Structures are given as structure tokens and as C-alpha cells.
Amino acid sequence: MPNPQFLVLFGSQTGTAQDVSERLGREARRRRLGCRVQALDSYPVVNLINEPLVIFVCATTGQGDPPDNMKNFWRFIFRKNLPTTALCQMEFAVLGLGDSSYTKFNFVAKKLHRRLLQLGGSALLPVCLGDDQHELGPDAAVDPWLRDLWDRVLSLLPPPPDLAEIPPGVPLPSKFTLLFLQEAPSMGSEGQQVAYPGSQEPPSESKPFLAPMISNQRVTGPSHFQDVRLIEFDISGSGISFAAGDVVLIQPSNSAAHVQQFCQVLGLDPDQLFTLQPREPDVSCPTRLPQPCSMRHLVSHYLDIASVPRRSFFELLACLSLHELEREKLLEFSSAQGQEELFEYCNRPRRTILEVLCDFPHTAAAIPPDYLLDLIPAIRPRAFSIASSMLAHPSRLQILVAVVQFQTRLKEPRRGLCSSWLASLDPGQAIGPVRVPLWVRPGSLAFPQTPDTPVIMVGPGTGVAPFRAAIQERVAQGQTRNFLFFGCRWRDQDFYWEAEWQELETRECLTLVPAFSREQEQKVYVQHRLRELGSLVWELLDLQGAYFYLAGNAKSMPADVSEALMSIFQEDGGLCSPDAAAYLARLQRTQRFQTETWA
């Protein structure tokens, strides 16, 4: 790489922060600057003291939490024993990505910015606060901030005078070269790296376990608007173990129809074999791809052709386009001025990468295969709360999956990649086992180990999944003080595990409080049931040291439940409003109020 050098470190949950970081890397290469781009947890954090210039790009997840790929860094950087001069040689800038509908908007970026200043770092710019809620998305804040950033960076690191900037319309070299094989090699397998039964290391993203699917059963009534599945896997011999509150990550695949359509539009032979070769010495090949690999395997298991493309996709596509009219439109979509039009074309109707390529057929047909991995992001694993306990179902793992499908102005309904793929798998009809790549990681919910501690769980809809695991686990351990507030629309359509809950009630292992929102004129939700039983909730929390848990959709439900708790603390606990807020904050700080929510 040419000098001068700087470093971009990212913490990304859904890929947006990684995309912005890679954009910084590309813009640096155009300016003839060396730039390393790494996930925070893959960077040896002790080396920070030697870095002169670092850009941090951080998303905020859940209730103000750092993304999974920066959690180790986060723990390290907030160590009490770090000297206040640790980073006195470092210039830095922090770019945050968040959603202003959450109370802790861009909490991670703001807190990191303050911490880097405490450790002696010098800020190049105020922290950037990208907002998903803005009609143009995070780019509304990111674009002007990056313009200022480049002014500062170039004044600190002037590029070599003899090298001109690479103009925006010229494509940068691809990360990889695809070397096509004329004939199939005698050795080599097509499968991805997987963990086999009896292997020493637990399954992980780079080596998932191919778990046989045992059953895939619809648990909503036939007339219910949503298809929700209870899916069970056999994990015997996998080395997987989990506790209540943990999550399973599943690596989905594209549908065969989409793979075929993609290969047709790009003029690719699905059976063509190739090996990948990185162009740069510090770039390694994706561990999930076998070497050699077929084009079908690459498109089926790796390229996220069903995702909504980001602006960077249009920038590169415009560079690669040889068709004047199509190139003109792509350039407009990738410009700062064209973001409203891009939003209307792409984001609002949730148009996929495959559909965009079909709309620009001349450009699609001319894409050099070397650029496929630069152009299209990798399929990301999807996380699901585990809905069963190993104490109740040894060597089994169950999940509750709502199949995502909705209509936009596009003719074809929008479908969730992973949920639709899982729903399409039928172990009863398949010849041989249906296997799904998965691995497990700790979730954000941790349940008390002390006997007799009451647990209040609020889980509307599929948010109830982690609480089923917790109740099964606690009942198996003889802990009977379980209180579940469950909300759904109709008793006979989407009351998950009704018989199981009733059986536990008769054994006095569970107190169940259901809320059926559509069974009466006035809608009744879990927060209404909490208020009705305010004196019980207050007694459990204040006198009996109960833990309170909340899981489900992140839109308005968490705020409504918090509001219900605040009114209980005031009406049943006799606290004034500031004291009620302080009481709630104390419950959160001591981990007696925990949430797991998703958008």
C-alpha cells in the first residue's frame, strides 16, 4: 500500500457501519492514501497507542448496546486502569449510526467519543450522528461530515505529489481475481467449512454446524395473517450448549429460482468452477467459500442478492456500466443530489439487488466476475432467540420464526430471506436429512441463578420465545415463581404454547397473564395487563427482589411497557415522578430490568 496510512475501525450489526467504513477505504484509495479497514474486535486493541490517525464507525444496537463485533474492544477501552495519556498521540474521528426513535440514539458513538478524549486523543471533528429515521437515511448527516473529514485528513496526510487522484467514474481494482478452471479438479469438495459431530471446537460463523431439521410446524391458525413456525433441530454431537436467553445464528441461502435468474441476467454459468485470489497481500479469502468454488455455490450461499442495495452498490455499478443511458441513471442514484430519487426507487419499495440488476440489463450483462464480491455484500447470519431449554429437550434446539412477507408497490411481495428459506424446508418431504448451518452465542438476557427469585417476563408475539426457554429451565431446576405476560391478537389463532402454559399453571409453576388485543372493542395489550396487576408487580419488584424482562418488537412496545412501570411505581409504590424514574434506572443498572428487542 502507498503511504501515508490511516486506520478505519468499525462496529457493525446489520452491515451499515461496515459499508460506510469500506466507503472510507475506497475514498482513501482514490486519494492515493493507504487505509486499513477492520472490525473493532479483529484489531489488536493494544496497538491503538501507536496509531496516529483512526476513524471509528460505530452502530448502536438494542437499548444503547455496542454491536457484537466490538464488544471485546468496548470492555477494554472502558477499563478503569487505562492512563489518561494512553492515546495522546492519536488524532481520531467518530462516525455514529443510530435511530432517533430509540431513547439511546447513537449512544455508542457519543460515549466512545467522550472516552477517547478522556484517554488523551484529539478529535478531528465533532461526532457524526447518522440517523436511520431521516428521510434520506444516515447519508444526510454522513455526506457533509465526510467532506469535512477529508479536508482535515488531507491536511494531516498530504498524498504523494506525483500521483493524481483517481476520478470517481473510474473503477478501483477489484479485491479478488476469479481464476476460472477449465475442468473440474480431481480433489476438493463443494461444501463450506463446517463443524462435524465430535469436533474439538464449538461451531462458529467460520465453521457452523449443519444441524438436521427435525420438524417445521406452523403454529398460527389457518386464517391468521402471519405464518409463524416452530422449528426444531437435532444438535446431538455438535458440542453446542446453551442457556436460557442465548441466541442461535442461522446462515440462510438464496432460493434456487433467484440463483438461476441472477446467473441468466449476468450471463454466468452456474457450474463454472473458479478459485479466488486476493489482489492485496493483506486481504484474505472469505472462509465461508470453498476453494475451488462453483458459481452456483457463490450465488446460493454467499452473495446477498435478495438484500436492498446500498448507495455504494450504485457507485460501483455506475463505474462498471458501458451503457450510456443506464450509466447516467446509476450516476444520479449514487450522487448526493440523487438520494431522494434513490430512496423512492430503492429503499421505499424495498427493491432487491437482483431486481435492480434486472432493471439495468445492459450493465448487469457487462459486470466482470472479478467485481462480484466488491459489488454484492455477503449474506449475513440471522439471530433467533432459542425457545427451548436443554434441561427439557436435551440435544434439541427450537426456535419460533415469524415468516416475513409484506407488500410494497412492487408486484412481487417482499420476503425475509432467512424466514422464507426456513419455511420452505420440509424435513417430512425431503430425501435425506435437511441440514441448516447454525451456531450459538450468548444473548443479552441473563436469568438469576438464585433459587426463589421471582421472574416477571413480558413477551408479546414471538417475543415470548426466550421466556419459554427460561420457564422450561427454571421449572426443571425447581424454580416456580415465574410470571409471564403474553400478548397476541386472538386466543384461537396466535396463542403460542397455550397447552404448555396451562399445564404449568395447574402444576403451580407459572402465573400466566394473557392479553388478546383483538377480542374486544378496546385493544388490550401487555402494558394494560401490567397496570391492572400493578400492586402485584410492585410487591414482586420492591419486596421480593424480582427480575423484570421484556422481549419483542422494538417499535412502541418497550416505551409503553416502561411507561406502565413508571405509573405502577407512582400509583402502587407511592413514588413521585423523579423517584420513579430513578427506581427504573436502578433496576436497569443492576440488571434487574433487561430487554431484548428487534426492529
Side-chain angles (χ1 to χ4, degrees), residues 244-291:
D246 288 351
V247 297
V248 62
L249 287 109
I250 290 178
Q251 189 65 55
S253 298
N254 290 308
S255 72
H258 283 167
V259 172
Q260 186 184 357
Q261 189 182 8
F262 179 88
C263 289
Q264 276 175 347
V265 173
L266 273 77
L268 300 168
D269 173 5
D271 298 316
Q272 173 74 65
L273 289 170
F274 62 88
T275 57
L276 270 188
Q277 210 167 34
R279 283 188 193 270
E280 302 285 348
D282 60 341
V283 175
S284 52
C285 292
T287 52
R288 275 171 37 204
L289 287 178
Q291 291 269 42

Side-chain angles (χ1 to χ4, degrees), residues 399-467:
I399 55 174
L400 191 65
V401 179
V403 181
V404 177
Q405 181 172 326
F406 57 96
Q407 200 68 49
T408 65
R409 59 184 166 79
L410 301 178
K411 185 166 150 249
E412 189 70 25
R414 307 293 88 190
R415 291 184 171 87
L417 175 66
C418 191
S419 62
S420 300
W421 175 68
L422 285 170
S424 74
L425 303 175
D426 186 350
Q429 297 296 312
I431 302 160
V434 170
R435 295 183 185 273
V436 170
L438 54 78
W439 63 100
V440 162
R441 67 163 163 77
S444 56
L445 303 177
F447 293 87
Q449 296 306 304
T450 46
D452 299 330
T453 301
V455 166
I456 304 167
M457 294 160 279
V458 180
T462 55
V464 76
F467 302 140

Side-chain angles (χ1 to χ4, degrees), residues 254-469:
N254 290 308
S255 72
H258 283 167
V259 172
Q260 186 184 357
Q261 189 182 8
F262 179 88
C263 289
Q264 276 175 347
V265 173
L266 273 77
L268 300 168
D269 173 5
D271 298 316
Q272 173 74 65
L273 289 170
F274 62 88
T275 57
L276 270 188
Q277 210 167 34
R279 283 188 193 270
E280 302 285 348
D282 60 341
V283 175
S284 52
C285 292
T287 52
R288 275 171 37 204
L289 287 178
Q291 291 269 42
C293 182
S294 72
M295 199 53 81
R296 188 191 315 278
H297 186 92
L298 174 73
V299 183
S300 299
H301 302 294
Y302 192 79
L303 299 179
D304 198 358
I305 59 174
S307 62
V308 176
R310 302 177 193 275
R311 178 171 155 191
S312 56
F313 170 87
F314 291 92
E315 283 170 8
L316 179 51
L317 203 55
C319 287
L320 300 174
S321 180
L322 305 172
H323 186 274
E324 196 179 335
L325 277 175
E326 290 185 1
R327 180 182 167 93
E328 203 175 296
K329 194 69 190 168
L330 291 164
L331 283 169
E332 185 185 335
F333 282 154
S334 57
S335 69
Q337 302 75 36
Q339 289 314 288
E340 267 181 75
E341 198 168 340
L342 176 60
F343 186 84
E344 281 302 316
Y345 166 70
C346 204
N347 300 68
R348 196 185 292 285
R350 312 297 296 164
R351 200 181 297 268
T352 68
I353 283 177
L354 177 55
E355 288 168 332
V356 171
L357 291 171
C358 291
D359 283 351
F360 292 85
H362 299 92
T363 302
I367 294 170
D370 284 1
Y371 279 96
L372 286 174
L373 280 84
D374 295 77
L375 188 64
I376 302 170
I379 298 173
R380 301 179 75 83
R382 292 350 189 229
F384 296 90
S385 296
I386 298 173
S388 59
S389 163
M390 295 189 91
L391 298 180
H393 301 274
S395 75
R396 295 285 187 266
L397 187 155
Q398 298 178 354
I399 55 174
L400 191 65
V401 179
V403 181
V404 177
Q405 181 172 326
F406 57 96
Q407 200 68 49
T408 65
R409 59 184 166 79
L410 301 178
K411 185 166 150 249
E412 189 70 25
R414 307 293 88 190
R415 291 184 171 87
L417 175 66
C418 191
S419 62
S420 300
W421 175 68
L422 285 170
S424 74
L425 303 175
D426 186 350
Q429 297 296 312
I431 302 160
V434 170
R435 295 183 185 273
V436 170
L438 54 78
W439 63 100
V440 162
R441 67 163 163 77
S444 56
L445 303 177
F447 293 87
Q449 296 306 304
T450 46
D452 299 330
T453 301
V455 166
I456 304 167
M457 294 160 279
V458 180
T462 55
V464 76
F467 302 140
R468 180 178 182 246

